[in-house]
Amino acid sequence: MIVIAVLVIAPGQSDESNTPAPSTSPTAKVQQGQSEEPEGERADLVSFQLDDRSHAGLSNIWVVWTIKNNSSEKSNYIWDWEAVDASGTRVGDGSQFETNVQPGQTARGEYPTTLKSAKGIKLNITSFNRTASY
């Protein structure tokens, strides 16, 4: 199966968030209201973390997220991430997206990774964009 995502930027909207992308540990949640929490559209990413669903000797690591649309219009979100081990080596990366999130609505999602373990892995959001959904 091939999935193609097209990102349309509405006139007057930025294609990049002007807020920093803090790292999150596999079990940490990005909580609104903390001093290190970015403002603006990036604040809509309420949590983004690894979930280790391994059992019976099989590795099964997923990324899971919660988005809350704090804007006044239906929105699409796309963000890029990387997984970095304790030595600073990137061991995984990907892009995630949520579409058609209504104002005030919360959306949750999950996606499998190719990671073999979640121990000692930090997630970094490398870009984050919210665009109007039509």
Side-chain angles (χ1 to χ4, degrees), residues 80-113:
D80 298 319
W81 59 273
E82 66 180 1
V84 180
D85 68 14
S87 69
T89 301
R90 185 168 75 180
V91 294
D93 65 335
S95 296
Q96 306 307 139
F97 58 93
E98 279 291 336
T99 59
N100 301 316
V101 183
Q102 298 293 332
Q105 187 177 44
T106 298
R108 291 181 175 84
E110 57 186 28
Y111 198 80
T113 73

Side-chain angles (χ1 to χ4, degrees), residues 36-82:
E36 68 271 4
E37 177 63 29
E39 297 179 15
E41 66 188 31
R42 172 62 179 78
D44 288 2
L45 185 60
V46 176
S47 70
F48 185 68
Q49 61 193 28
L50 293 174
D51 184 15
D52 188 344
R53 299 176 182 179
S54 301
H55 65 286
L58 301 173
S59 62
N60 191 10
I61 312 297
W62 291 61
V63 288
V64 295
W65 62 85
T66 302
I67 292 274
K68 180 166 187 203
N69 185 351
N70 293 306
S71 77
S72 60
E73 57 189 3
K74 184 167 65 167
S75 299
N76 296 327
Y77 297 87
I78 185 167
W79 66 99
D80 298 319
W81 59 273
E82 66 180 1

